[in-house]
Each structure stands twice: as structure tokens, then as C-alpha cells.
Amino acid sequence: MAIGDIGKRITEARKAAQPVEMRIVDLARRLNISHGRVSNWERGENDPQQDLIPAIAESLGVRIEWLIAGIGEMRPALKREESPVLSDPVSIYSF
């Protein structure tokens, strides 16, 4: 893995954040670090410390494997949670 590869994926995930693009400063605040560190990663000047990788992935909503090595899908598959209202529409009328 070359220096900067993670930074490229951080940039991609940050810009693909939903519902709106996450700013560098927003990610930095979530990680409790300076925005300059995030900027350095994205410019490929250095990579984040290994102990920050799980927090970065969680903050961006991406899979760790994708963030580290570009393997698989960026975002984990969404689990469809059953909603009592959707699974039993009559229940909303039960008193």
C-alpha cells in the first residue's frame, strides 16, 4: 500500500457522505484531531495512525477493509430492520 492511498479513499468517502458532503473540519471534529492532519492524509503527505483507522471508518460509514486496501464495497450492506408498522399495517389501528 502506497502512502496516500488511504487519503484518496478518505476523500472519496467524505465527499460521498449522505445526506450532504462532509467537510474536512467535520471529520476532524469527529476524530478530535486538527483539520490539518486530515488534510495531510488527503493530500498524500502521510497516512493516519493505525489506531485511528477504526474511528475514521466509523465516522465515514465505510468498511475498514475498503478504507485500508480498497477491497470490496465502500459502504456495508444495509440491514433491513423489520418495522412493526410495515410488517403489520393493521397494528397501527390497534388501540
Side-chain angles (χ1 to χ4, degrees):
M1 174 177 61
I3 291 179
D5 288 347
I6 289 177
K8 290 175 187 174
R9 286 187 286 279
I10 289 171
T11 303
E12 181 180 348
R14 184 177 58 75
K15 290 184 176 187
Q18 296 294 324
V20 295
E21 179 178 316
M22 182 186 299
R23 299 175 304 160
I24 288 175
V25 69
D26 299 327
L27 179 57
R29 284 183 185 142
R30 287 183 182 195
L31 299 171
N32 200 27
I33 61 173
S34 72
H35 68 277
R37 285 179 68 185
V38 176
S39 182
N40 286 344
W41 303 336
E42 292 192 1
R43 288 194 314 263
E45 292 184 14
N46 54 42
D47 285 338
Q49 294 171 263
Q50 288 184 350
D51 62 335
L52 280 176
I53 299 294
I56 295 167
E58 182 178 344
S59 295
L60 294 170
V62 299
R63 296 175 55 248
I64 291 175
E65 297 84 4
W66 178 84
L67 183 62
I68 293 172
I71 296 171
E73 297 293 319
M74 177 193 299
R75 307 226 186 269
L78 296 176
K79 293 180 182 177
R80 183 177 177 188
E81 296 189 12
E82 288 193 22
S83 167
V85 174
L86 296 177
S87 63
D88 184 13
V90 176
S91 68
I92 63 172
Y93 299 107
S94 301
F95 298 105

